[in-house]
Structures are given as C-alpha cells and as structure tokens.
Amino acid sequence: MSKTNLEILREETSETHNRLDKAIMARNPFADTTRYGGFVQMQHLLHEAMRPLYSRADLAAIIPDLETLGRSDATTADLEDLSLPTPVAELSAPDFGAMPLPKALGALYVIEGSNLGAAFLLKAAKALGLSETHGARHLAGAPEGRARHWATFTTALNTLDLDESGRADLAEGARTAFDYTHKLAMHHIAA
Ligand code: HEM
C-alpha cells in the first residue's frame, strides 16, 4: 500500500523539525519574559505569513472548519498582553496564499502540527506566569482538545489523492514552511 500524505510529511520533515526544536530551545525562549517576547514575535510573523492559507477555498474543501483554525489573532493578543510592538517583517516570507494546492496543504500541516508541540511549550510558558488567556493564547489547544483536533485534521489531509509530483509538492510546501520558521526563529529569538 502506498504511503498516506501524513506519512510522507512526517518522513520528509522529521529531521528539519528536530533541527528547529533544538535551535529554538537552545535559545532558551522560556528563560524569562523578555526572551519569550522574541518567541511570540517570531510566532506572530509566522502565523501572519500563514494567514492566507485559512481563507483558501481549495483547502477549505478538504479541511473542516478551516477558517476558524488560524492563530494569528491569538498571537496579536499575546503581543498586546505582553505590551510588545507588532514586529516588522524583515525577512521576506514565502507566498503561502499563492502556492499550488499540494504545497499549500504541506505548509498548513506544519502550522497546524505546531499546535501539538505547543502543549509542551505552554507548560514552559505557564512557569513564567502566562496562560491560555494571557500572553500564551496562541499555544492553547483546540476547544475539542489537541489530539482530537489533530485526528480530524490528519484524516482530512489524507483524503487528498495525489500523484507522484503532487506528493513531491506536498513535501516541498512543508519544507518551505519549516525553513521559513527556522529563519524567523534565528532572527527574532535572542541568541
Ligand atoms: C514554530 C515552531 C514549530 C513548528 C512549525 C512545529 C511543527 C510541528 C509539527 C508539524 C508537528 C506534527 C508532527 C506530526 O505528528 O506529524 C509537531 C509536533 C511536535 N512538536 Fe513541533 N513545531 C515547532 C516547535 C516545536 C518546539 C520548540 C518543540 C519543543 C522542543 C516542539 C515539539 C513537538 C512535539 C513534542 C511534537 C509531537 C507532539 C505529539 O505527538 O504529541 N515543536 N510540531
């Protein structure tokens, strides 16, 4: 049997995700609220760049409730909670809104998947006195629970039938999203 879209994405991005986790945590973004502020600014720019994905009709036809899932409003509120300015986008972002469907879906996998790891990051943010209602809103789980939301998302992700070039595009979109995240993290979280 051929691989599912999720299996392809996992295989193709596990190394880059691992590198990103390590690079972010090496910068100690949860050591104090100042360092955490850089992390939120990075997350804000990432979620803003991804925002156009959530209003795409082609993705909405695959992913249930797509328009409700974006978290850039949460990162905006987190910045306000922390009295931080909206960061200036100094790095040029990939045009996620204009990507062909398989690439866009690969990028959406990255940003939605980041909410799984966010369970662990939220705990670290709570140690700084922050919460799902103050300063760490974007790390909150989906109302139905992270695992349940992820199961719904990945089931939908797997329904798109792709040929070989579509599968390559799916993985490419995810790698593009991870690469941009990595660049943003290195730029905005203090070394
Ligand atoms: C904005 C940065 C990040 C992005 C874009 C991201 C992306 C992802 C993606 C796509 C997944 C889903 C993998 C899958 O099951 O297919 C995931 C899961 C996960 N991430 Fe990240 N991640 C980020 C930051 C982090 C950081 C900093 C950590 C912690 C050091 C982390 C820890 C995890 C863990 C533990 C899981 C698996 C959770 C589970 O299976 O319950 N992530 N992340």
Side-chain angles (χ1 to χ4, degrees):
M1 239 184 70
S2 60
K3 288 176 192 157
T4 65
N5 291 337
L6 177 63
E7 283 165 346
I8 294 169
L9 286 164
R10 279 204 174 125
E11 261 178 43
E12 296 283 332
T13 64
S14 67
E15 207 180 297
T16 171
H17 178 253
N18 212 0
R19 229 179 309 126
L20 175 67
D21 289 355
K22 288 206 174 99
I24 290 180
M25 297 319 272
R27 294 193 169 212
N28 273 322
F30 298 95
D32 55 53
T33 41
T34 307
R35 298 187 81 79
Y36 176 73
F39 173 78
V40 176
Q41 289 190 313
M42 175 284 269
Q43 290 280 56
H44 180 69
L45 291 171
L46 179 63
H47 285 278
E48 273 297 314
M50 299 279 187
R51 186 200 275 271
L53 291 175
Y54 293 93
S55 50
R56 281 180 60 144
D58 54 357
L59 287 173
I62 301 168
I63 307 295
D65 302 322
L66 178 71
E67 69 286 357
T68 66
L69 303 180
R71 280 175 283 147
S72 57
D73 290 347
T75 56
T76 302
D78 285 337
L79 289 171
E80 281 166 14
D81 291 340
L82 299 164
S83 304
L84 286 171
T86 305
V88 178
E90 285 160 356
L91 306 175
S92 69
D95 190 351
F96 293 107
M99 284 178 177
L101 177 60
K103 282 193 185 176
L105 189 59
L108 188 65
Y109 156 82
V110 174
I111 197 69
E112 285 300 304
S114 73
N115 197 236
L116 278 183
F120 167 77
L121 304 181
L122 180 61
K123 275 193 200 136
K126 283 187 173 169
L128 293 174
L130 306 169
S131 70
E132 296 97 323
T133 53
H134 184 82
R137 298 168 199 258
H138 77 283
L139 299 175
E144 74 271 31
R146 289 181 212 269
R148 191 138 180 215
H149 170 63
W150 189 238
T152 306
F153 179 81
T154 52
T155 301
L157 164 78
N158 283 335
T159 60
L160 185 66
D161 197 11
L162 294 168
D163 61 13
E164 206 171 314
S165 100
R167 289 167 164 236
D169 276 354
L170 182 77
E172 177 66 24
R175 277 194 298 270
T176 302
F178 266 118
D179 287 350
Y180 178 57
T181 307
H182 203 115
K183 280 194 201 128
L184 277 178
M186 296 306 95
H187 194 75
H188 289 278
I189 309 175

